[in-house]
Amino acid sequence: ARHKHHQQNHSHHRQTRQRSDRGSVATMYLVIVGGGKVGAPLASSLVNEGHEVFVLDNDPDVVASLKRELGMIATIGEATSLRALQDAGASRAGAIIATTGSDADNLAACQLARTNFDVARTIAIAHSPENAELFDRSGVDLVVSATDLVLANLATALPGHPLIRLMPLADRSQELVAIKLPSAGTAVGHTLSELRLPYGTKIVLMITSAGLSKQPGSDAIIESEDEIIALSPANSTTELWKLLTELR
């Protein structure tokens, strides 16, 4: 049964944490700045991994959606506000991940987190290649270049390659990917439990063609042009992509 979103949120975190402890995953408190196309699925996958995640976004609608659809702990605030980062618990965060649409904000959030809250690990998306180099020189620990994401995003319009690699995770043995299902795909009409997913794959979120989030329960039915966000072992992403995009 689904957990009721808010009352049981903390016990849900504890349960997933205990599960992942047995799998020897070190759990962390993480602050994600920006709850959009990358931030929301990333937050979901990290909670599924047993981490405690706090999302900060300056759009009230995004924050409301994160709370309502995903049961996330999220609040409205600016990436560059010391007060907002403090309220998000930056001082006890193991890492901050900046995924807003603004390179300046992403860099500022990482620098504020490091200098004011002594956050050990900073991760940021850089939207321009020049900024990626600047982020590197400025001491951001992991810089994810959005150029690759944008190129892959354009490719989703082409039926040949509807795969977006959102972000490499951990030691790059896993990655967060988004795969858009073709309308004539063999997976359409099936439930998630009926699919023979590659070993180690976790479906994190399903997004309908109308842009609405669906919880990825085993009985969730895959519909035409759904976008599936998954945590995938890097060596089986191609297999997952083939499975989800195979045509009738």
Side-chain angles (χ1 to χ4, degrees):
R2 277 271 147 230
H3 293 287
K4 284 207 173 61
H5 281 335
H6 296 302
Q7 304 90 316
Q8 298 180 10
N9 219 17
H10 295 295
S11 63
H12 175 51
H13 282 315
R14 272 200 300 280
Q15 286 162 7
T16 47
R17 188 174 297 128
Q18 282 159 6
R19 274 207 298 277
S20 59
D21 280 348
R22 286 203 290 276
S24 76
V25 174
T27 60
M28 293 168 77
Y29 180 73
L30 302 159
V31 175
I32 294 180
V33 181
K37 175 102 178 173
V38 177
L42 182 63
S44 259
S45 71
L46 290 167
V47 167
N48 285 348
E49 288 289 283
H51 299 294
E52 198 180 341
V53 177
F54 191 107
V55 184
L56 186 65
D57 195 283
N58 62 2
D59 183 334
D61 292 338
V62 168
V63 170
S65 169
L66 287 168
K67 287 177 168 177
R68 185 179 61 246
E69 303 296 338
L70 304 177
M72 284 284 157
I73 302 170
T75 192
I76 303 162
E78 293 293 337
T80 55
S81 157
L82 268 179
R83 178 64 193 270
L85 289 169
Q86 185 174 358
D87 290 349
S91 56
R92 68 184 184 93
I96 184 164
I97 307 171
T99 68
T100 76
S102 157
D103 281 356
D105 286 356
N106 289 345
L107 180 57
C110 287
Q111 289 181 321
L112 287 173
R114 163 141 311 145
T115 54
N116 292 276
F117 302 105
D118 207 23
V119 176
R121 188 154 174 78
T122 53
I123 299 166
I125 284 193
H127 292 275
S128 89
E130 299 80 36
N131 286 343
E133 290 174 24
L134 171 67
F135 282 25
D136 254 340
R137 288 200 304 273
S138 304
V140 176
D141 295 306
L142 172 62
V143 182
V144 180
S145 171
T147 312
D148 307 335
L149 309 187
V150 172
L151 291 173
N153 237 325
L154 291 173
T156 49
L158 311 170
H161 196 125
L163 166 72
I164 307 174
R165 286 183 161 83
L166 295 174
M167 190 173 274
L169 296 176
D171 53 0
R172 294 185 178 264
S173 63
Q174 288 186 310
E175 53 190 356
L176 191 63
V177 297
I179 299 174
K180 191 159 180 88
L181 274 73
S183 50
T186 54
V188 173
H190 290 278
T191 61
L192 283 179
S193 58
E194 289 170 338
L195 294 183
R196 300 182 66 172
L197 296 170
Y199 179 76
T201 303
K202 271 189 188 167
I203 305 297
V204 172
L205 189 62
M206 298 166 73
I207 301 170
T208 68
S209 56
L212 302 171
S213 302
K214 291 195 289 191
Q215 288 287 359
S218 57
D219 56 351
I221 293 174
I222 295 163
E223 296 172 286
S224 171
E225 298 189 8
D226 274 358
E227 191 165 10
I228 304 260
I229 313 278
L231 194 59
S232 168
N235 59 6
S236 62
T237 297
T238 305
E239 187 188 341
L240 176 66
W241 176 73
K242 283 179 180 164
L243 172 77
L244 292 178
T245 58
E246 187 184 347
L247 296 173
R248 292 185 199 283

